Amino acid sequence: MNNLELGVIGNCAFSALINRRGRVVWCCLPRFDGDPIFCSLINGSETGAERGFFDLLIDDFSHSEQHYEPNTAILVTTLYDQHGAAVEITDFAPRFVRYERMHRPQRLIRLLKPLHGTPRIRIRLRPTQDYGRALLRRVHGSNHINYVGDQVSYRLTTDVPVSFLLDEVPFLLEGPAALIFGSDDPIRRSVADATRESYEQTLHYWRDWTRSLSIPFEWQDEVIRAAITLKLCCFEETGAVIAAMTTSIPEAAGTQRNWDYRYCWLRDAYFVINALNRLGTTKTMEQYLHYIANIAAGAKDSLLQPVYSITLEPKLVEREIETLAGYRNHAPVRVGNQAYEHIQNDVYGSVIMAATQAFFDRRLAHPGDRRLFERLENLGYQCAKLYNQPDASLWEFRGIARVHTFSAVMCWAGCDRLARISRRLELRDRAQYWQGQADRIRDEIVERAYDPLRNTFVGSFGGQELDASLLLLHDLQFLAADDPRFLGTVEAVEAALRRGNHMMRYIEDDDFGTPQNAFNICTFWLISALAAIGRKDDARAIFEAMLQCRNSLGLLSEDTDPVTGEMWGNFPQTYSMVGIIHSAVVLSKPWEEAF
């Protein structure tokens, strides 16, 4: 059965998901939101999907092991047979500096090595087109195979006999071998030399990158893996940050909460940028600023959508795909996302907050200036105008519109940060203006979203419902940690939404019924809130429990079954990986106290 015990490789242009048996079950080319040429992850059961994968089988399979090369995005899978023989598969997507530019070709490299004995293996490569509708046609040469579709052509170059791959016949692996799959470009040197150089330089790149991270003393391995995963979710060409690498992994069994997350949500991207900034890696923020500058420049009347394609396309028309059976046969499979049509007023504050550090960080090659500030002001005007207007909220309700407290607070945050930026730029008149807007919005939020009888903020103006986003009131600097209203809000939200060591985002019925599974980022929000109010022991206990919910490679999806601990939802989820980083930074003992 398919599950989310998967490893991720990539190079900030495309990615691939690989299961514990060494099968590539998901890979979109030429980019994250492209046609999945390997799509067996969402084509029914693992045994039933006869197309859309790239795997290596060992005769008389016994068991497998899987790990990352330390501090890299290079994945190693070892398959053992019942007689003691073993084959090691090293998977990676090349990423390194060449000619003073980042080299990130559309190539998946698989290195094979007999680890013990002489394993007998079989290689099966079955890429598809048009979301699994048909296999690509094969055309082969002496050392390569072309996989040709209606408008695409990919090439596999290898030092394995091509006939072994064409016929999928078992053979003895007596020495190292390599498989290079990707764009239809010839390899003009030996396969061994080309792959060895790519491996060494990619290894060097990732280890050099992780050395630059400012990590907390505790949970270092967990933070490093989360940071690398977030980096892999960045589309470097434009600066976009995707929410997840997959589509249509359902939020829970038996539901139709199957969404396509291979796009850039401005809100999610803010949280990713904030997490990476905490670790001292600011280049991703600079790239994202270029992305949002282009978004803002193309926005009519400075009105923003909550989500865009990674190449700035605004229309993400949602449709259902009938050629794929779905993850564990959970239909439908959806491509596109209707959320692009939603009104979600928090996005203006999200963009402003993502850009704020650019005005205060002296390390940046291109710090924030008056020109960027003026662009952000246009978004601030929307904050001041829309903070008390109904929207679909960050939870993207399709049939519920209210004045959601989180959206209002994010609009306040946008104005508040513009006031701080104004003071930084010594623009006194603008600082006074934006501080006035922030104070006005804050007063109305307190008046209309705070319930004094229950001593808690509520999910919407004048409402009674609670949602987990209220746990962010301290992190967003709307309330001090020792404010009695924040203490009351944390208590109320925890009592209503906590299920064991997990948090629901809300419990009221929505367009698809009552949510069944916990939303991982909400659990991390609880951890942060508990730490802020002095309940660090409780926070640490929940954090340790959440770390146990990761798969064996340290990755998390969007949702967790609070009863079984099983992962559901799109994978890997940037929100969830952000939560690992944020919680570790908040909870870790300082380096100064570590020795």
Side-chain angles (χ1 to χ4, degrees), residues 88-107:
E88 182 181 83
I89 312 166
T90 299
D91 289 308
F92 66 98
R95 177 176 172 81
F96 50 85
V97 175
R98 173 182 284 177
Y99 307 126
E100 299 182 357
R101 300 189 300 268
M102 188 58 67
H103 182 58
R104 45 178 190 270
Q106 292 177 28
R107 285 181 182 166

Side-chain angles (χ1 to χ4, degrees), residues 306-335:
V307 57
Y308 294 82
S309 86
I310 58 177
T311 54
L312 308 174
E313 172 60 41
K315 291 187 177 181
L316 305 174
V317 178
E318 188 175 295
R319 59 192 175 97
E320 295 185 4
I321 301 295
E322 297 182 354
T323 51
L324 294 171
Y327 178 77
R328 299 190 191 174
N329 292 305
H330 282 74
V333 170
R334 291 188 172 97
V335 173

